[in-house]
Amino acid sequence: MSELTLLLIRLAFLAVLWFFVIAAVSVIRTDLFGPRTATAPARKAAKAAARPTVKPKKGEPRQMVVTGGPLQGTIINLTETPITIGRANDATLVLSDDYASSRHARLFPQDGQWIVEDLGSTNGTYLDRSKVTRPTPVPLGVPIRIGKTVIELRK
Amino acid sequence: MSAVGGNPVPLPAKRRGAQLLMLAFAVGIVMLAYANVGLALDDQIPAGMLGYGLGLGGLMLAAYLVLAKFAPWADPLILPLVTLVNGIGLVMIYRIQEGGEDLASASTQLFWTGAGIVMFTVTLIVLRDHRALQRMTYTAGFVGLALLIAPLLPFIGEERNGARIWINLGFSSLQPGEFTKLALVVFFAGYLVAKRDVLALAGRRLLFIDLPRARDLGPVLITWAVSLGVLILQKDLGSSLLLFGTFIAMLYIATQRTSWVLIGILLFVGGAILAGLAFSHVQDRFEVYLNPEDPALYERTYGSSFQLMQGLFAMASGGILGTGLGQGHPETIPLSFSDFIFTAAGEELGLTGLMALLLVYALIVERGLRTAIAARDPFSKLLAGGLSFILAWQIFIIVGGVTNLIPLTGLVTPFMSQGGSALLANWILIALLVRMSDAARRPPPQAIQDEGLTQVFQR
């Protein structure tokens, strides 16, 4: 086998190896830049419209983000299913917090809004500063406090 | 989302197609590498190429099908990335075997890869919910310790190359230490979930550091003593560093307190100094680390820097672009098929190839950590974080060792080095990560109809 062929094969192999790495990174691109959906332009426009007015009400939340406590960083995509929060193993968000009850609270959608309801917890659920005593609508970006965990809804 | 039963919410993509494509790509690269070795060594495509490629491809297809059936939401990248490093390892071992090294055997390694994939599929099929492991916290701890001391028992324990880390099962030998790390990570995760509040909150603040209470130091001191015990009784530096580092990292993940890391580093430095004073082989390693190019150290008969220097020479002769597969001289590096496979790959693929390999490893770890972030319960978070960290830490220890960044300790390069136990254990590790990423990415169950106040729970 001639030197030149081997040199070409060698360079080709390294190029293919790097192409593999780049392909792998592009598969997980959504991790870095968010999902690219067909409705992306519409969403962008909505976001631009919503930005000047920080007060929510416009648009529906798409994600529930844990912003404080041991589970910080967890993101749950909102669907039409209610989300249960508590220490029970079958809760959507399982807390390991001594201050949380096993079925602490639940979040459910109603008429385009998400409602938080305390399920008779021992230490209570707080929406911003006030204790949740009956089902209350949750605006975007307002923290819900359950024990040491803080969650909020985002678009 | 105005009325239940309106527009269905778009589900996150499963990316099964991307996974199959990347898997085929990985197998293709491995076959290309194999052909390249054959062309360089004998001027022809190796005779076994078709069978070998089909064998690897078939194994991976089987793994893919099992994954698609039993963990459909699993991360699409983990399996292809692991396939690539495992395949490149196979090609390197084949190449070293052709180069005249008697101990290297590509067919054995292919057999163990198959066995590893069987373990992968069995783990995925049997373990439908990884949270079952949380119930076995202390069992896992006990199993881990038992595996750790198994090589020290008479009759079944064996000493090879100065380290007593093997057990003889009659038909073949096993390195139980590789499985120990899995069992202990499960134990650490379960233990820290139960105890992390007391470890994180109790204590008082001194300067910028939250100091823990003296009695909470117990678990750290016990792990420290166990890893020192491994070092003293089995003369296995690598495993001892691996276990202790992983425990400290998981403690940090669980409590988010820097003081644990500082305490861990202090204990490690103390232990290392003690070991250096007490054992000549630790001292030898350290001298070699400081002055590998010293001729006196290079030529001494026991604990010389010969192997390390040969590895460094090999990487130097590879340079930026490498000598090309099949055109280097891995036979000049002792143990080039196991501990030093990274330097053998460095010679033939060059810095460019090594960086690509390290990036592939980094991506595997990134997918694992990503799983930890997405996980919905603390046990999964700690387990995924711990397993990814132990993989990253092991790669750091061995690659840092052979490149003389840190003192050399004998550990296998995950998925590349020849060795059945390591392959089996690492494939189980990957199966656990895949299982957890499936649970983390799976969307909550959709309402089947307008169910009103009835809820669908996910178990």
Side-chain angles (χ1 to χ4, degrees), chain B residues 369-392:
Chain B
L369 292 176
R370 180 78 207 167
T371 301
I373 289 181
R376 286 173 198 166
D377 61 306
F379 177 72
S380 314
K381 265 189 195 310
L382 271 175
L383 188 57
L387 290 177
S388 330
F389 180 82
I390 205 168
L391 198 62

Side-chain angles (χ1 to χ4, degrees), chain B residues 44 109 125 129 187 341 358 374 389 446:
Chain B
Q44 57 183 4
Q109 181 77 351
I125 293 172
D129 186 354
F187 169 66
I341 197 162
L358 281 181
F389 180 82
Q446 301 290 305

Side-chain angles (χ1 to χ4, degrees), chain B residues 355-368:
Chain B
M355 286 298 138
L357 277 181
L358 281 181
L359 266 181
V360 169
Y361 277 125
L363 281 170
I364 298 174
V365 172
E366 193 265 351
R367 295 325 290 163

